[in-house]
Amino acid sequence: GISWEIAKKHDIGLDLVLFNERFSLTVDYFNEKRTGIFMSRGSLPLTVGLYDGDKPYANVGSVINRGWDGNFSFNQNIGNVSLTIRANATYSDNEILEKDEGHKLYPYLYETGFSVSQSRGLIALGLFKDWDDIRNSPTQNTWGSVEPGDIKYKDLNNDGQIDAYDQTYISRGDVPTTVYGFGFTVGWKDLSVGMMFQGVAGAERVLNGSSVNPFNGGGGSGNLYSNIGDRWTEENPDQNAFYPRLSYGSETTSNINNFQKSTWWVRNMNFLRLKTLQVSYNLPKPWVNKVHLKNAAVYVMGTNLFTLSRFKLWDPELNTDNGASYPNTTSYSVGINFTF
């Protein structure tokens, strides 16, 4: 009875042109529901006699994706000055409607009702202030012993023990809900300047892995970031430090506790980038005609010139949780175009 999943799409749009075609606008709302998604049957009990990895697959999942996208442009000439403005944006969000997850002990353990790219983990309540704070808190030894300065987690099921049953939705994931861009081109006589910006919103990451976990690796080898000084120490018991208490080597039990997936490590990955900047100049016609050319223009162009983001450790556009990825590069080019 296996089959392809089924997608039902609905779309309504508006196209608008005004002022002798100087202004144009396109806006679309879309709604897509996918049913019969092929997935593992998580609801089958162990009494069936199958291991988790052997559970059969079936068309039992359902996801809805909805949002809108649009773009506009505006052109205007004022004397010798020409102006063109352009912008576009897309908003899209999804939700798991059905997933064969099986029975969960607590409602917050289910993935249904959240986004497809969600991250799940522990809810951080800050750092342990002192030993009294540890003694007066739920037992937290699942990932090793804890000391003052270690991350304190929330006991979601109120059983007095911090463990895997206290993990829940902590982030919608690194797929942004909004992608947008805007730019303009201004021309004056034979000179023109153009700029194009791009950005995203609604993207989050749970930092984890080498470098983010300082000296992570066998025997404590590995790299670290320049913000290593922004950490909790007995001399600087800062509750808002980037790092909790650190100890040497990944095999140290307190490091295992502090680097569990949790809200402590969730970071906003929104950014706005100047993607391109171009300045061009059309050479005077008499010069060009003398060498039997129709047109000639020189230009200077820069790409990825700067990025605005609250996140500073690496380029937020990189598909990485620890920065271990080749970065985007800034480039400059100078050229000349000929038309014969």
Side-chain angles (χ1 to χ4, degrees):
I2 302 269
S3 67
W4 296 105
E5 64 185 60
I6 298 174
K8 293 183 178 179
K9 302 181 181 182
H10 302 83
D11 184 283
I12 182 170
L14 170 68
D15 292 311
L16 185 65
V17 178
L18 299 172
F19 312 123
N20 294 324
E21 300 185 353
R22 291 199 304 271
F23 176 84
S24 65
L25 172 69
T26 299
V27 179
D28 287 274
Y29 170 80
F30 57 87
N31 183 306
E32 179 185 5
K33 184 178 181 181
R34 292 185 291 129
T35 58
I37 296 175
F38 193 57
M39 64 187 308
S40 175
R41 297 299 301 267
S43 61
L44 293 179
L46 293 177
T47 52
V48 174
L50 299 173
Y51 291 104
D52 285 344
D54 295 329
K55 289 182 178 179
Y57 280 67
N59 300 101
V60 291
S62 177
V63 170
I64 189 169
N65 183 43
R66 51 203 163 199
W68 57 268
D69 64 74
N71 63 80
F72 83 89
S73 66
F74 177 75
N75 304 283
Q76 181 66 53
N77 293 325
I78 305 174
N80 293 327
V81 177
S82 63
L83 173 65
T84 300
I85 301 174
R86 299 173 298 274
N88 63 78
T90 299
Y91 172 83
S92 177
D93 200 8
N94 60 70
E95 178 185 348
I96 299 174
L97 300 179
E98 296 178 83
K99 184 174 183 179
D100 197 350
E101 302 183 71
H103 174 68
K104 305 287 186 181
L105 289 179
Y106 306 101
Y108 58 80
L109 295 176
Y110 288 98
E111 297 181 31
T112 302
F114 298 100
S115 62
V116 173
S117 59
Q118 64 185 277
S119 295
R120 306 184 73 80
L122 300 160
I123 296 178
L125 299 177
L127 304 178
F128 285 114
K129 298 177 182 178
D130 47 38
W131 289 105
D132 286 337
D133 191 9
I134 295 174
R135 284 188 286 267
N136 295 328
S137 300
T139 302
Q140 190 170 307
N141 56 15
T142 302
W143 302 284
S145 59
V146 293
E147 299 181 23
D150 290 345
I151 300 176
K152 177 168 60 175
Y153 300 119
K154 186 175 183 178
D155 184 10
L156 291 181
N157 58 358
N158 296 314
D159 66 350
Q161 173 75 31
I162 304 299
D163 52 28
Y165 290 114
D166 297 304
Q167 296 179 344
T168 186
Y169 173 92
I170 60 172
S171 166
R172 71 169 309 280
D174 61 334
V175 179
T177 56
T178 305
V179 179
Y180 62 93
F182 60 90
F184 66 87
T185 301
V186 178
W188 177 71
K189 295 184 177 180
D190 292 322
L191 180 68
S192 68
V193 178
M195 301 178 71
M196 179 59 66
F197 294 84
Q198 74 169 99
V200 304
E204 297 175 324
R205 280 192 179 276
V206 182
L207 306 188
N208 190 41
S210 60
S211 300
V212 172
N213 305 7
F215 303 116
N216 182 28
S221 64
N223 295 323
L224 50 81
Y225 283 104
S226 59
N227 67 337
I228 190 66
D230 185 12
R231 67 184 190 275
W232 188 99
T233 63
E234 293 182 358
E235 296 76 22
N236 178 41
D238 184 3
Q239 285 285 321
N240 297 314
F242 182 90
Y243 285 106
R245 183 186 67 88
L246 298 177
S247 56
Y248 183 72
S250 62
E251 65 278 0
T252 306
T253 55
S254 58
N255 273 356
I256 298 174
N257 172 85
N258 288 335
F259 290 103
Q260 294 298 307
K261 279 192 173 183
S262 74
T263 54
W264 181 273
W265 300 108
V266 175
R267 293 295 185 274
N268 186 313
M269 291 291 170
N270 299 348
F271 70 85
L272 174 64
R273 167 174 289 133
L274 176 55
K275 190 64 178 178
T276 59
L277 169 63
Q278 178 169 320
V279 179
S280 62
Y281 177 72
N282 292 321
L283 299 179
K285 286 284 188 180
W287 298 4
V288 174
N289 294 337
K290 285 182 179 180
V291 291
H292 306 289
L293 293 176
K294 185 176 181 181
N295 291 296
V298 294
Y299 67 88
V300 178
M301 184 171 66
T303 304
N304 295 332
L305 296 182
F306 70 84
T307 302
L308 301 177
S309 176
R310 294 180 181 178
F311 186 76
K312 304 299 183 183
L313 288 183
W314 59 80
D315 190 327
E317 191 176 15
L318 297 183
N319 185 27
T320 174
D321 295 333
N322 58 14
S325 181
Y326 196 83
N328 289 321
T329 59
T330 297
S331 63
Y332 303 91
S333 58
V334 178
I336 184 168
N337 291 325
F338 297 105
T339 302
F340 294 95

